[in-house]
Amino acid sequence: MGPHIIAIAIALLLDRIIGDPPNWPHPVRFIGTLISKLTTWLNKGRSKKAKGFLLVFIVVGITFSVTIALLVSAYSIHMWVGIIVESILIASGLAQKSLREAAMDVYKPLVANDLPAARQKLSWIVGRDTETLGEQEITRGVVETVSENISDGITAPLFYAFLFAGAPGLWVYKAINTLDSMVGYKNEQYKEFGYAAAKLDDIANFIPSRLTGYLIMLWGKKESKLPFNKRMKGWWLDAKKHPSPNSGYLEAATAYQLGIQLGGMNTYKGIISNRARMGIGEVPLSPNHILSTISHLNTAVFLFWLWMMVIGGILYGIT
């Protein structure tokens, strides 16, 4: 466990400083290509739900096997070669810098009152229609996206890296998350075939999303005037209103800490979707709430890492 803890710490620093170089090959692309090819082959005919389980088994199995093979080869050369290779593998599965930059790419034109540019940048990170959104709705889109992706993109991968010996655990999680993002839809094409991917992703994110939301509620930047007990009660109740069993714990935490209201009406390719409101809206949404949400990201990731380091260190010492 010792080398893996070192690799995780280095990876977190690499991801924070360097992020994902745009021209580097990224493992998610290879996983995505594999999923696409297998989906074309499997998602037809009868027994689509069973074939969806087979898809998950193949993709997760290949991802795990390739990661293990790379690490065994690297560690067989020298421990520090292994740590360096593992650090790069883990860093490539995290999204600290890319998430912050995506948020700031919308924030900068927004505060410059360049709404067309802000709408365009927002459309790169959300699925909703952005063409007619005003300042508050653009802000809401960024805040909601950053909030829910703190877990999906950073703390959940970290959780499984700590839980299952570094890079293999992280990349099994990333394979599950990528499967859900590609086939986990409740439409005619994927509702049966993507069932296994969607359910497994819900299970995988169950603990990390709640832990991350809890850290935001305890230590995240607070702008609300509500007392702690009322914020905690509102967080726990409102989180359950979200259509996702996990994302609500992040969005509701942000809403209650910042005294804003999230959720509401979105449109997807012209189809209206009304999401439950979270938070009581003490103040209207403004671009500065994007900066506050980034602050939540930084705080939650650091504390989550520290928490896992302490637990991992104790377990390593015991064993």
Side-chain angles (χ1 to χ4, degrees):
M1 187 66 184
H4 302 304
I5 288 179
I6 296 169
I8 291 167
I10 294 171
L12 204 59
L13 189 61
L14 285 174
D15 179 56
R16 184 176 180 85
I17 296 170
I18 300 173
D20 293 322
N23 296 320
W24 281 31
H26 198 285
V28 167
R29 294 176 191 165
F30 295 109
I31 295 172
T33 300
L34 176 62
I35 293 169
S36 294
K37 291 183 180 298
L38 288 171
T39 298
T40 301
W41 174 46
L42 292 170
N43 190 21
K44 56 189 175 183
R46 298 179 179 180
S47 304
K48 286 188 177 182
K49 187 176 285 189
K51 290 176 180 177
F53 277 94
L54 179 61
L55 171 74
V56 169
F57 179 79
I58 294 172
V59 172
V60 170
I62 290 175
T63 302
F64 178 76
S65 300
V66 170
T67 307
I68 285 288
L70 287 172
L71 289 182
V72 168
S73 298
Y75 276 106
S76 67
I77 297 170
H78 191 276
M79 185 183 76
W80 278 103
V81 174
I83 288 173
I84 291 168
V85 170
E86 186 165 20
S87 299
I88 294 170
L89 283 171
I90 294 171
S92 64
L94 302 174
Q96 291 178 94
K97 187 176 181 183
S98 59
L99 193 53
R100 282 198 307 271
E101 287 180 343
M104 291 305 296
D105 283 345
V106 182
Y107 172 81
K108 289 173 183 177
L110 192 58
V111 294
N113 204 31
D114 186 354
L115 292 186
R119 289 171 187 140
Q120 182 184 32
K121 298 287 187 179
L122 178 64
S123 71
W124 297 353
I125 60 172
V126 299
R128 70 194 68 174
D129 301 335
T130 64
E131 294 84 358
T132 61
L133 298 183
E135 181 183 274
Q136 288 191 24
E137 287 300 299
I138 293 171
T139 299
R140 179 167 71 88
V142 179
V143 169
E144 289 175 352
T145 298
V146 172
S147 296
E148 67 178 78
N149 279 289
I150 295 172
S151 178
D152 281 2
I154 311 165
T155 58
L158 280 177
F159 180 77
Y160 288 101
F162 276 106
L163 200 62
F164 298 112
L170 180 144
W171 278 105
V172 164
Y173 168 79
K174 293 295 290 185
I176 292 168
N177 193 242
T178 306
L179 279 159
D180 178 61
S181 69
M182 293 183 67
V183 302
Y185 299 104
K186 294 179 180 178
N187 56 26
E188 190 62 31
Q189 185 179 4
Y190 293 118
K191 66 180 180 180
E192 290 189 19
F193 184 71
Y195 175 85
K199 289 300 179 184
L200 191 56
D201 186 70
D202 288 344
I203 293 167
N205 280 296
F206 186 89
I207 294 174
S209 63
R210 285 154 179 78
L211 287 178
T212 308
Y214 190 60
L215 289 174
I216 292 171
M217 292 300 299
L218 284 178
W219 302 105
K221 184 175 183 180
K222 184 182 82 68
E223 297 174 5
S224 170
K225 295 178 181 178
L226 285 178
F228 178 72
N229 63 328
K230 288 189 177 180
R231 283 185 283 117
M232 285 294 293
K233 183 178 180 181
W235 167 63
W236 193 252
L237 291 174
D238 282 8
K240 297 176 175 65
K241 299 175 183 177
H242 198 283
S244 163
N246 299 311
S247 297
Y249 290 89
L250 287 308
E251 292 185 26
T254 297
Y256 276 96
Q257 285 296 87
L258 300 184
I260 58 178
Q261 187 174 78
L262 299 177
M265 189 183 76
N266 300 326
T267 61
Y268 299 88
K269 296 181 179 178
I271 299 172
I272 296 174
S273 171
N274 278 303
R275 295 284 179 89
R277 270 69 170 178
M278 291 174 286
I280 61 172
E282 299 169 64
V283 295
L285 280 157
S286 71
N288 283 337
H289 289 122
I290 295 173
L291 302 181
S292 298
T293 306
I294 293 173
S295 172
H296 284 176
L297 182 157
N298 294 331
T299 300
V301 170
F302 174 73
L303 291 175
F304 196 96
W305 167 78
L306 189 62
W307 197 355
M308 293 293 106
M309 283 288 286
V310 170
I311 294 171
I314 291 171
L315 293 175
Y316 179 66
I318 292 172
T319 56

